[in-house]
Amino acid sequence: DWSSDVCSSDLLKMLMPATVKSHLRMLSEEKVMSTQNVFDIIFPGIKTRRAAELFVRILHKSNGIATKNSVSEFANNIQIGIILENGELFRYSRRNFYMTVLRTLIDMGFIQKNVPVWDEKRNKTLYVYSRNIFDIPNKPPTVGFWRISYYICKKWNRLFL
């Protein structure tokens, strides 16, 4: 019986995309509990973290959804460079945005891709990126991977609720 040789978290890791696996290696309960920002947990790089935060602001302003065109426009803008609130110029490669930020958010389940949404103005269905809100219990699990996941999901939900 193979199930006795593989614990559930090991099986889960075998089924996950590589981007998720690499992020899980960096997780510790102390790190998850000590940070206020979910992006500090998910993205170790400062520029990557900033790009993710800016993208989530776009999602937040548009009720949790973004068309493929608006995401493409955002990626173009950060590649050219945008001025932040503090007056600083921020640039981030379009390719890195799609390959690192967006792919990681999708692979980890924070963002859904190709979600059908009816557009009243155009009278047609659009396929958009949509943020996920996690249905989590009031109390965290007691130990392990699920406890860490609970706190990460709770921090993500706080961005939109």
Side-chain angles (χ1 to χ4, degrees):
D1 180 58
W2 67 272
S3 61
S4 62
D5 296 335
V6 180
C7 78
S8 63
S9 66
D10 288 340
L11 181 62
L12 214 89
K13 288 177 186 176
M14 290 187 320
L15 300 173
M16 289 181 188
T19 54
V20 176
K21 286 183 205 174
S22 68
H23 285 65
L24 287 177
R25 281 190 215 109
M26 296 181 290
L27 292 180
S28 69
E29 190 168 344
E30 299 83 44
K31 181 176 182 178
V32 171
M33 299 299 286
S34 67
T35 181
Q36 293 298 312
N37 187 334
V38 69
F39 301 112
D40 293 340
I41 301 165
I42 301 169
F43 300 108
I46 294 168
K47 284 186 79 174
T48 306
R49 191 177 317 136
R50 175 69 56 90
E53 289 168 348
L54 292 171
F55 176 63
V56 166
R57 279 192 207 158
I58 301 280
L59 283 175
H60 196 277
K61 288 178 186 174
S62 61
N63 205 22
I65 62 170
T67 64
K68 291 180 181 184
N69 286 342
S70 67
V71 172
S72 179
E73 184 179 322
F74 171 77
N76 286 337
N77 288 341
I78 62 172
Q79 180 159 319
I80 294 166
I82 57 174
I83 305 294
L84 302 175
E85 301 87 35
N86 62 4
E88 175 187 338
L89 177 68
F90 177 74
R91 286 190 176 127
Y92 193 76
S93 148
R94 176 183 173 86
R95 181 182 186 284
N96 284 347
F97 170 74
Y98 277 101
M99 298 299 292
T100 306
V101 175
L102 195 56
R103 178 184 276 176
T104 299
L105 291 173
I106 290 169
D107 286 350
M108 293 186 86
F110 294 108
I111 302 282
Q112 292 179 46
K113 184 178 173 181
N114 295 326
V115 175
V117 174
W118 182 254
D119 186 351
E120 289 289 333
K121 293 177 192 167
R122 297 183 184 129
N123 209 23
K124 71 176 191 175
T125 302
L126 299 177
Y127 293 90
V128 299
Y129 293 98
S130 176
R131 54 90 176 104
N132 243 345
I133 297 294
F134 298 100
D135 185 20
I136 55 175
N138 291 332
K139 291 174 116 182
T142 53
V143 291
F145 172 79
W146 302 114
R147 182 177 176 83
I148 293 171
S149 298
Y150 169 87
Y151 284 110
I152 293 171
C153 293
K154 188 172 184 174
K155 289 172 193 274
W156 173 262
N157 285 355
R158 267 195 237 132
L159 295 172
F160 296 99
L161 298 176

